[in-house]
């Protein structure tokens, strides 16, 4: 990393030869002392060398959200785009000139994106004009010559780092990346003689004393940058003469071995600038991100001056806590810069009028997602040692979609707040995934999104209730010679003996509904009909189906399983429903796309894998049944809120005494699972439809839906069926439903309303 | 294998220029109404206004990524090609041709089991595109040979020939 300048020590061996000629006792003592001292200096030298040559800093793994892809036809609202750019620290200006700047004119954005190295290669900086229409990106062109651009990727939002308690965190900079203005300001303020001294500067000490006398307080320190670096780098903060001596010797040694630029670069990366909870913010690279949310190369003169000013006392001049003090310090730095001829008087005046320019958290667009990071960490721990994660500077690219995450947090938070008027202890959790790829796009572990606590999405295991029923109905529909969506099943009173006890399932409305169509048993979530169907199929058979669908937890083989006597976490439910949402393909849920090492080399990819676990025909039948849950069943309140051709599918779940409220639903592209309940498992008054479903609806209204149009295999034929009696309908029938049938399965007979004279029979009835 | 990759790619390019064909189950009377559920910006009421017709989700973006994937394959880097195709699938997750391309790449990556499953996924989305289904069955046959599953490989070859014949009877589905 660093080049050796020259070997110290020649002078020491000369001294030894001289000493041998004079055999006087006091010289012997001096010689012994000198030898000891030389040994000690060699020891210090070794320390300096080892620390500087080896890896100097252990770097926490950095975690990124998915990058925003821009292309014509992308669904995105201008306001969402603006939010994302703000969160990425883009500066809104009149005319963009540098990466990280954007000009907005209504629905037209002109920006210069930042270059970034991804797992699949380098994304260069783009000069882009993005034009939005009502539905999304209408046109994407280059800003300079107006050529159409097919696709561009923004730099990804950093959403966290993986560090140990009280660990230092930093973003390493090379000197070439540091704005010259910052270097000049730093030297002017901290060590004006930096390029001329040998590590310790008596002149600097004298000048600092003089400056401090003149200013009537401490405005300059006497330590050189080298001494400050040594102090931070090798020594404890204990104040003593011995430490001062060590500091001076090591500073001299450092200067002997390394050149000024190397020392400066180390200083820029080492300097302590802030405390962020358990994490210590070191170096101007991370300091810039921490306070201004943008790379150091994009800072204004005023912002650079603030960072330089904070070196003197990061907590005393903390601009978030003491803005007045920080402003005065910054303006002093600006004055010194002007006095030293680094900036002009006009530049100083302009910079003085700037605000501190700190980023707070923008309402609703916070960048801390502790619950999602929790999932990422758990997936990483399967493949990496903890020490590698906290020290090797890995880059972790995740699947998090900040737009969806913000929308989810807001939808969940708003609805729970509304319900809290009657249920103050209500909690909730939710996940959103991509239906095709199993990527986890958003995750909420509780009602307070920014709060790292009990992660209900991963760790709350709750009864799933009726959410389990699609597994029962799928088991039936996979036997097309026995069952179709129009088969009649019995929802009359049922008593069976299970485990020595009499079991009498009841419906939610405490009524029995007689003979119903098979799909209606699911759509209306009839317990008795579902239990009877499950008994016909056998509990072992249903458990085998659940295993195929991705439920791996041990399940009790009792009939109560048909009604959801199984405890799963929202994450496990999501994996289960993922199989339905992807049309019968099991797709492991993933929160990580790739991991790069500190040099940007791919270490590991987490590829997309699929496995077909439901044949195409039954996959279509169960999807249609889940669509009918929304069209006419327990989730029909959705039907009025979304257009009919959205084709939404889903299932409600409610447990005894209203302890758990579930909804799992999907459109053509995304699956979302929502759970509401209390941590102490007490009743909270909400069913799946009145609770979780409302959160789901709020989320999808906020983010928009894409039509679910399931692919029908060739072995499927469609028929209109009479809703009331289940027979095949014709034009004479009024109340019909279109159902798919596997070719060759036993079709129902003609409906009472169908055939010649059907309408007369209807009249007579 | 590479010989087949190029014509497949050309086919994909031809098909990707327009919106994926909407399949309409006979559920509700659609009477040619534009898809009004897609592409709604945040906070706007749904279904109350019909937005302007929307172009294919990511037509030219997907074409550009297919070019990239092809270049990576030519460079002998199927892992990189797979990463590019996965990126394309995030833009158009229901594009059967992309899944088919990925299935090919999985074969080249030495992952026959995944190649077979990915080709099945493509078939599930291919609707009445017989040529694409034929290509997918060829991939499945190769994948099964690679897994020493001769009987099922021969069966897959038979399916491929069936679809090839049907594809010849049908006009090319380039629309």
């Amino acid at each position: 990393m660093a080049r050796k300048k020259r070997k110290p020590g020649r002078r020491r061996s000369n001294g030894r030869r001289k000493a041998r000629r004079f055999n006087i006792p006091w010289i012997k003592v001096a010689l012994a002392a000198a030898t000891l001292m030389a040994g000690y200096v060699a020891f210090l030298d070794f320390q300096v060398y080892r620390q500087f040559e080896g890896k100097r800093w252990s770097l926490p793994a950095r975690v990124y959200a998915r990058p925003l892809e821009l292309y014509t036809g992308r669904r995105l609202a201008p306001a969402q785009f603006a939010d994302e750019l703000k969160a990425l620290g883009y500066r809104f200006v009149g005319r963009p000139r540098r990466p990280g700047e954007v000009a907005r004119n209504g629905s037209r954005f002109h920006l210069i994106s930042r270059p970034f190295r991804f797992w699949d290669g380098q994304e260069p900086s783009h000069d882009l004009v993005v034009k939005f229409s009502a539905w999304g990106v209408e046109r994407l062109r280059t800003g300079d010559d107006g050529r159409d651009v097919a696709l561009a990727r923004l730099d990804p939002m950093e959403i966290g780092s993986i560090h140990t308690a009280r660990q230092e965190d930093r973003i390493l900079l090379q000197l070439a990346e540091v704005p010259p203005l910052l270097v000049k300001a730093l030297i002017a303020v901290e060590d004006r003689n930096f390029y001329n001294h040998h590590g310790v500067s008596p002149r600097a000490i004298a000048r600092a004393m003089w400056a401090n006398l003149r200013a009537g307080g401490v405005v300059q320190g006497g330590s050189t940058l080298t001494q400050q670096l040594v102090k931070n780098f090798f020594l404890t903060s204990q104040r003593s003469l011995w430490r001062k001596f060590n500091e001076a010797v090591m500073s001299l040694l450092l200067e002997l071995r390394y050149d000024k630029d190397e020392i400066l670069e180390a200083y820029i990366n080492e300097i302590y600038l802030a405390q962020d909870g358990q994490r210590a913010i070191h170096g101007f690279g991370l300091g810039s991100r921490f306070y201004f949310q943008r790379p150091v190369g994009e800072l204004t003169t005023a912002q650079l001056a603030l960072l330089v000013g904070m070196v003197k006392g990061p907590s005393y001049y903390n601009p978030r806590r003491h803005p007045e003090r920080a402003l005065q310090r910054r303006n002093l730095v600006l004055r010194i810069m002007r006095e030293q001829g680094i900036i002009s008087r006009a530049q100083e005046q302009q910079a003085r009028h700037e605000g501190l320019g700190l980023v707070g958290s923008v309402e609703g667009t916070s960048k801390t997602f502790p619950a999602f990071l929790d999932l990422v960490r758990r997936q990483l721990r399967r493949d990496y040692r903890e020490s590698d994660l906290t020290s090797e500077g890995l880059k972790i690219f995740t699947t998090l979609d900040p737009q969806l995450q913000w929308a989810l947090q807001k939808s969940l938070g708003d609805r729970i707040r509304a319900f809290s008027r009657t249920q103050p202890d209500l909690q909730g959790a939710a996940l959103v995934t991509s239906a095709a790829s199993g990527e986890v796009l958003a995750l909420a572990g509780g009602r307070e999104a920014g709060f790292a606590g009990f992660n209900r999405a991963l760790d709350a295991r709750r009864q799933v209730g009726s959410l389990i029923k699609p597994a029962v109905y799928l088991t039936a529909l996979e036997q097309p010679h026995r069952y179709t969506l129009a088969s009649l099943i019995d929802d009359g009173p049922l008593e069976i003996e299970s485990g020595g006890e009499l079991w009498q399932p009841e419906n939610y409305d405490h009524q029995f509904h007689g003979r119903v169509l098979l799909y209606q048993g699911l759509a209306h979530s009839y317990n008795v009909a579902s239990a009877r169907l499950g008994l016909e199929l056998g509990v072992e058979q249903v458990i085998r189906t659940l295993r195929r669908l991705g439920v791996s937890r041990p399940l009790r083989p009792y009939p109560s399983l048909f009604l959801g006597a199984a405890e799963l976490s929202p994450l496990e439910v999501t994996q289960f429903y993922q199989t339905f949402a992807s049309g019968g393909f099991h797709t492991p849920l993933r929160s990580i796309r790739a991991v790069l090492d500190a040099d940007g080399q791919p270490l590991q990819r987490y590829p997309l894998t699929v496995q077909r676990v439901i044949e195409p025909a039954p996959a279509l039948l169960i999807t249609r049944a889940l669509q009918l849950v929304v069209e006419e069943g327990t989730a029909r309140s959705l039907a009025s809120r979304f257009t009919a051709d959205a084709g939404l599918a889903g299932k409600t779940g409610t447990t005894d005494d209203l302890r758990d409220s579930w909804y799992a639903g999907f459109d053509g592209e995304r699956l979302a699972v929502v759970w509401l309940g209390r941590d102490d498992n007490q009743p909270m008054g909400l069913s799946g439809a009145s609770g979780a479903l409302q959160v789901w609806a709020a989320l999808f209204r906020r983010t928009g839906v894409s039509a679910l149009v399931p692919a029908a295999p060739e072995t499927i034929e469609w028929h209109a069926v009479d809703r009331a009696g289940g027979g095949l309908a014709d034009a004479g029938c009024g109340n019909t439903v279109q159902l798919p049938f596997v070719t060759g399965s036993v079709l129902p007979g003609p409906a009472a309303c169908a055939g010649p004279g059907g309408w007369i029979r209807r009249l007579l009835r | 294998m590479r010989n087949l990759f190029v014509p497949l790619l050309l086919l994909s390019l031809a098909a990707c220029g327009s919106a994926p064909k909407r399949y309409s189950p006979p559920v509700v009377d659609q009477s040619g109404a534009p898809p009004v559920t897609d592409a709604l910006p945040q906070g706007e009421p749904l279904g109350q206004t019909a937005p302007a017709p929307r172009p294919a989700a990511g037509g030219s973006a997907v074409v550009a990524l297919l070019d990239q994937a092809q270049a990576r394959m030519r460079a002998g880097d199927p892992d990189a090609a797979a990463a590019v195709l996965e990126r394309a699938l995030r833009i158009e997750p229901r594009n059967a041709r992309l899944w088919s391309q990925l299935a090919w790449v999985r074969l080249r990556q030495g992952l026959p089991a995944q190649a077979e499953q990915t080709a099945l996924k493509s078939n599930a989305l291919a609707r009445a595109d017989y040529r694409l289904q034929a290509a997918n069955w060829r991939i499945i046959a190769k994948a099964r040979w690679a897994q020493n599953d001769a009987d099922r490989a021969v069966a897959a070859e038979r399916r491929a020939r069936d679809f090839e014949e049907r594809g010849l009877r049908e006009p090319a589905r380039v629309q």
Side-chain angles (χ1 to χ4, degrees), chain A residues 729-740:
Chain A
D730 68 6
C733 296
N735 184 19
T736 64
V737 57
Q738 291 284 347
L739 295 178

Side-chain angles (χ1 to χ4, degrees), chain A residues 605, chain B residues 1-9 64-86 98 100-111 115 139:
Chain A
R605 286 206 184 93
Chain B
M1 244 181 276
R2 183 181 290 180
N3 314 349
L4 266 162
F5 188 75
V6 175
L8 260 175
L9 201 72
L65 289 172
L66 276 165
D67 280 347
Q68 255 189 55
Q70 191 190 23
R72 303 279 164 94
M73 284 299 276
R74 275 199 303 263
D77 190 351
D79 289 351
V84 172
L85 287 171
E86 286 183 31
L98 287 175
S100 184
Q101 295 288 317
L102 184 60
W104 266 114
V105 171
R106 292 284 187 244
L107 268 186
R108 293 285 299 274
Q109 285 179 291
L111 301 166
I139 296 170

Side-chain angles (χ1 to χ4, degrees), chain A residues 35-55:
Chain A
T35 311
L36 263 177
M37 183 51 69
Y40 184 67
V41 169
F43 163 73
L44 289 182
D45 184 50
F46 174 71
Q47 276 210 325
V48 167
Y49 173 77
R50 193 183 54 180
Q51 183 88 4
F52 225 84
E53 291 294 311
K55 193 166 49 181

Side-chain angles (χ1 to χ4, degrees), chain A residues 69 71-73 75 80 134-135 153 439 582 593 608 610-612 643 645 702 705-706 709 711 714 718 738, chain B residues 23 26 37-39 41-42 47 52 55 57 61 72 86-87 90-91 94 106 114 117 121 124 127 130 166:
Chain A
E69 299 265 17
Y71 51 89
T72 302
R75 181 166 65 191
Q80 293 175 314
W135 44 256
R153 216 168 7 178
E439 291 190 339
S582 69
R593 288 180 183 169
L608 169 60
V610 293
Q611 190 190 1
R612 193 171 77 184
T643 52
D645 64 352
R702 198 177 286 278
V705 295
S706 27
V709 188
E714 292 181 316
W718 291 81
Q738 291 284 347
Chain B
Y23 167 80
T37 47
D38 268 323
Q42 184 173 357
R72 303 279 164 94
E86 286 183 31
R87 187 178 168 198
R90 276 182 216 115
I91 296 172
R94 301 178 65 82
R106 292 284 187 244
Q114 254 318 294
Q117 292 298 326
K121 177 81 183 177
R127 306 193 186 276
Y130 302 132
R166 291 171 72 181

Side-chain angles (χ1 to χ4, degrees), chain A residues 100-264:
Chain A
E101 291 184 341
V102 59
R104 178 178 182 179
N105 184 359
S107 59
R108 182 183 180 277
F109 292 73
H110 181 192
L111 67 137
I112 301 182
S113 70
R114 301 182 182 120
F116 196 87
R117 187 178 176 82
F118 286 100
W119 62 93
D120 55 359
Q122 175 79 22
E123 185 83 19
S125 169
H126 299 279
D127 181 349
L128 287 175
V129 173
V130 192
K131 178 92 181 62
F132 287 87
S133 74
W135 44 256
V137 178
E138 185 181 58
R139 203 162 168 215
L140 191 64
R141 289 178 296 122
T142 54
D144 42 14
D145 53 7
R147 274 176 300 115
D148 280 314
V149 176
L151 182 63
R153 216 168 7 178
L154 297 187
D155 50 319
M157 193 181 295
E158 192 186 313
I159 55 170
S161 59
I162 297 178
H163 51 85
T164 55
R166 279 183 287 286
Q167 189 177 346
E168 297 179 359
D169 194 4
R170 50 173 58 76
I171 295 173
L172 288 186
L173 293 175
Q174 290 177 340
L175 200 56
E177 301 171 273
V178 181
L181 206 56
L182 185 141
V183 175
K184 284 181 194 159
L186 180 68
I187 289 173
V189 174
E190 292 294 330
D191 184 4
R192 222 164 280 174
N193 203 26
F194 176 69
Y195 282 109
N196 301 317
H197 62 64
H198 296 286
V200 191
S201 169
R203 259 170 62 196
I205 294 166
R207 197 189 41 243
M209 283 171 70
W210 176 237
N212 293 346
L213 271 177
R214 256 186 17 181
V218 182
V219 293
Q220 278 184 35
S223 296
T224 64
L225 287 181
T226 317
Q227 281 170 292
Q228 292 181 36
L229 175 63
V230 163
K231 191 161 59 186
N232 277 312
F233 223 14
F234 307 105
L235 303 169
T236 60
S237 57
Q238 173 203 351
R239 282 176 176 277
S240 69
L241 263 182
W242 179 244
R243 207 207 68 169
K244 269 278 168 211
F245 170 77
N246 277 343
E247 181 186 302
V249 174
M250 287 170 101
S251 299
L252 289 167
L253 289 168
L254 202 63
E255 292 270 353
L256 277 172
R257 273 187 177 278
Y258 301 102
D259 63 34
K260 292 283 182 185
D261 282 353
E262 287 164 333
I263 291 166
L264 196 57

Side-chain angles (χ1 to χ4, degrees), chain A residues 63 152 244 278 291 327 335 358 364 431 454 572 586 748:
Chain A
V63 186
K244 269 278 168 211
Q278 290 277 29
Y291 285 113
L327 198 71
R335 199 187 81 206
L358 303 175
L431 293 103
F454 180 45
E572 289 169 320
H586 173 71

Side-chain angles (χ1 to χ4, degrees), chain A residues 567-629:
Chain A
E567 289 168 355
L568 300 179
S569 68
L571 179 72
E572 289 169 320
V573 169
T574 307
Q575 181 70 73
F576 168 25
Y577 272 77
Q578 185 72 33
T579 312
F580 296 125
S582 69
F585 285 80
H586 173 71
T587 312
L589 296 183
R590 294 173 300 151
S591 63
I592 305 167
R593 288 180 183 169
V595 177
L596 303 190
D597 68 14
D599 302 323
Q601 294 306 307
L603 276 186
Q604 194 168 8
R605 286 206 184 93
Y606 293 80
L608 169 60
T609 60
V610 293
Q611 190 190 1
R612 193 171 77 184
V613 294
I614 312 176
E615 293 290 316
L620 178 76
L621 299 189
I622 194 68
T623 305
R624 179 74 186 119
L626 290 169
Q627 285 178 318
L628 284 161
V629 173

